[in-house]
């Protein structure tokens, strides 16, 4: 996967029941009041290896697929509209947000963008998963300039309809194709 420099952008798309991209798209790239990416860690990319023994020796190693794929993504100033959409929270008619027994996060796809040492785009797509938020904490102001805390979103990933969990690629040409695969469009109605 080579050298990665920075964390340029993250795009989140809510998926419909068929795993197709909806119009709920959120791009976090450091623009005012739209949030900025801080850090992302993807774990569980490789499966846990299991040795199979025969004739008193390790005879075979079983290591197929992925492990428990999870991404922890830190974002500064997550837009409220995105939080509600990717976490399944509902806005009350009076303007406040509700979280309760009917709250259910939808499936989403995420695209995390960086660059390699030569300035070529490096993309990691998490093809299907559900997101959850970290804890909420409030603390007093102190006698020094305040520095805002980032928010952590965790994405528990599963395989998409093709049986794939993660896609990654390097270069502008690959980036365009990877985005189309990660966020499959809804097919127009036949007729």
């Amino acid at each position: 996967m080579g050298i990665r420099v920075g964390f340029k952008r993250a795009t989140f798309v809510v998926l419909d029941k068929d795993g197709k991209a909806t119009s709920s798209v959120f791009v976090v790239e450091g623009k005012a009041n739209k949030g900025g990416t801080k850090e992302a860690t993807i774990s569980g990319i490789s499966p846990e290896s299991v040795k199979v023994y025969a004739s008193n020796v390790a005879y075979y190693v079983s290591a197929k697929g992925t492990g428990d794929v999870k991404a922890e993504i830190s974002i500064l100033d997550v837009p409220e509209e995105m939080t509600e959409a990717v976490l399944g929270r509902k806005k009350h008619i009076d303007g406040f947000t509700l979280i309760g027994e009917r709250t259910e996060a939808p499936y989403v796809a995420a695209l995390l963008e960086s660059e390699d040492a030569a300035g070529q785009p490096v993309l990691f797509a998490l093809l299907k998963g559900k997101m959850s938020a970290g804890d909420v904490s409030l603390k007093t102001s102190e006698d020094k300039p305040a520095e805002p805390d980032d928010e952590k979103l965790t994405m528990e990933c599963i395989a998409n309809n093709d049986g794939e969990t993660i896609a990654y690629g390097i270069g502008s040409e690959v980036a365009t194709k990877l985005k189309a695969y990660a966020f499959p469009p809804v097919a127009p109605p036949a007729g």
Side-chain angles (χ1 to χ4, degrees):
M1 291 185 217
I3 296 172
R4 289 169 303 287
V5 179
F7 183 11
K8 183 176 183 176
R9 171 185 310 120
T11 304
F12 303 91
V13 176
V14 175
L15 303 174
D16 69 12
K17 63 180 178 51
D18 298 318
K20 304 294 183 189
T22 68
S23 60
S24 294
V25 178
F26 304 93
V27 179
V28 179
E29 59 184 343
K31 292 187 177 173
N33 302 314
K34 301 248 185 225
T37 56
K38 295 278 286 184
E39 182 178 359
T41 303
I42 304 170
S43 60
I45 294 173
S46 297
E48 187 174 319
S49 298
V50 177
K51 290 182 182 177
V52 178
Y53 289 84
S55 298
N56 296 329
V57 297
Y59 184 79
Y60 172 78
V61 176
S62 174
K64 185 176 180 181
T66 64
D68 180 15
V69 178
K70 179 188 303 186
E72 291 188 8
I73 304 164
S74 297
I75 298 173
L76 185 63
D77 192 22
V78 178
E80 188 61 26
E81 181 183 349
M82 177 183 147
T83 301
E84 291 168 2
V86 302
L87 298 177
R89 297 175 177 174
K90 301 296 179 211
K91 181 74 87 177
H92 189 274
I93 193 167
D94 291 327
F96 51 85
T97 302
L98 298 168
I99 305 169
E101 65 183 36
R102 292 183 304 264
T103 303
E104 182 177 358
Y107 282 110
V108 299
L111 186 67
L112 312 176
E113 298 180 53
S114 184
E115 292 181 344
D116 67 9
Q120 288 293 310
V122 176
L123 294 93
F124 292 88
L126 304 162
L127 302 172
K128 187 175 184 180
K130 290 196 175 191
M131 302 196 82
S132 61
D135 296 339
V136 173
S137 64
L138 307 171
K139 55 186 171 183
T140 191
S141 297
E142 297 178 9
D143 191 20
K144 60 182 179 180
E147 184 175 317
D149 293 328
D150 53 321
E151 299 172 67
K152 295 197 183 343
L153 295 174
T154 300
M155 184 173 176
E156 296 280 348
C157 302
I158 63 171
N160 67 4
N161 292 342
D162 294 339
E164 307 297 344
T165 307
I166 298 172
Y168 69 92
I170 300 171
S172 298
E173 189 175 310
V174 170
T176 301
K177 294 174 184 175
L178 191 139
K179 288 177 186 179
Y181 182 78
F183 308 138
V186 175

